[in-house]
Amino acid sequence: MMKKTGVCKNRGKSWVEFKGVIHRFKAGDRSHPETEAIYKVLEGLIQRIKLEGFTPVTELVLMDVSEEEKEENLNCHSEKLALAYGLLKTSPGTDIRVSKNLRICHDCHCWIKLVSRVLGRVIIVRDQIRFHQFEDGLCSCGDYW
């Protein structure tokens, strides 16, 4: 019925600004000129965060696919790609600011909290509802979003 009436959900998009240029990402996006480097940073970060004890929140993925595919789906959310690009392009100690057109999902929220602690970085995510400032493994929203 949704297809018949033309109803569709908005696709998640995130963006990060670097040297006056806005870099946009969609979930699973591979259109960026530096895709290979971005995914390399992201994969390394995913492994490092797993070693810290992070378990992906796969119950959020409503598709009827295997657990492994659910994890892969979560791993390439747009905010994670934008964050990886920010890490690739900035030096340690620099705040990273990511904007997002939808609300940040629970998995990404928990994941970015750990990234902020492990890397000792301040990560600011502006989603549809509020700003989330991640620092030392905590979020300014107090995990209420």
Side-chain angles (χ1 to χ4, degrees), residues 19-67:
K19 291 188 177 180
V21 177
I22 296 173
H23 299 267
R24 293 174 179 84
F25 300 91
K26 296 178 279 192
D29 196 357
R30 291 197 170 267
S31 63
H32 195 279
E34 297 181 70
T35 291
E36 294 306 316
I38 292 167
Y39 274 88
K40 189 173 183 176
V41 168
L42 182 58
E43 288 167 15
L45 201 50
I46 288 166
Q47 294 307 313
R48 189 165 174 190
I49 298 305
K50 275 188 177 180
L51 290 174
E52 292 293 318
F54 179 75
T55 305
V57 187
T58 57
E59 46 283 354
L60 298 173
V61 181
L62 301 177
M63 297 179 290
D64 187 21
V65 294
S66 71
E67 283 297 307

Side-chain angles (χ1 to χ4, degrees), residues 3 33 43 53 56 59 68 76 82 94 105 126 134 139:
K3 285 183 183 179
E43 288 167 15
E59 46 283 354
E68 186 177 295
C76 59
T94 308
C105 77
R126 171 65 172 138
F134 300 93
C139 180

Side-chain angles (χ1 to χ4, degrees), residues 21 45 51 77 91 123 127:
V21 177
L45 201 50
L51 290 174
H77 274 186
S91 55
I123 302 163
D127 71 10

Side-chain angles (χ1 to χ4, degrees), residues 16-23 34 85-86 88-91:
V16 62
E17 184 179 344
F18 181 68
K19 291 188 177 180
V21 177
I22 296 173
H23 299 267
E34 297 181 70
Y85 183 75
L88 180 67
K89 292 296 181 178
T90 61
S91 55

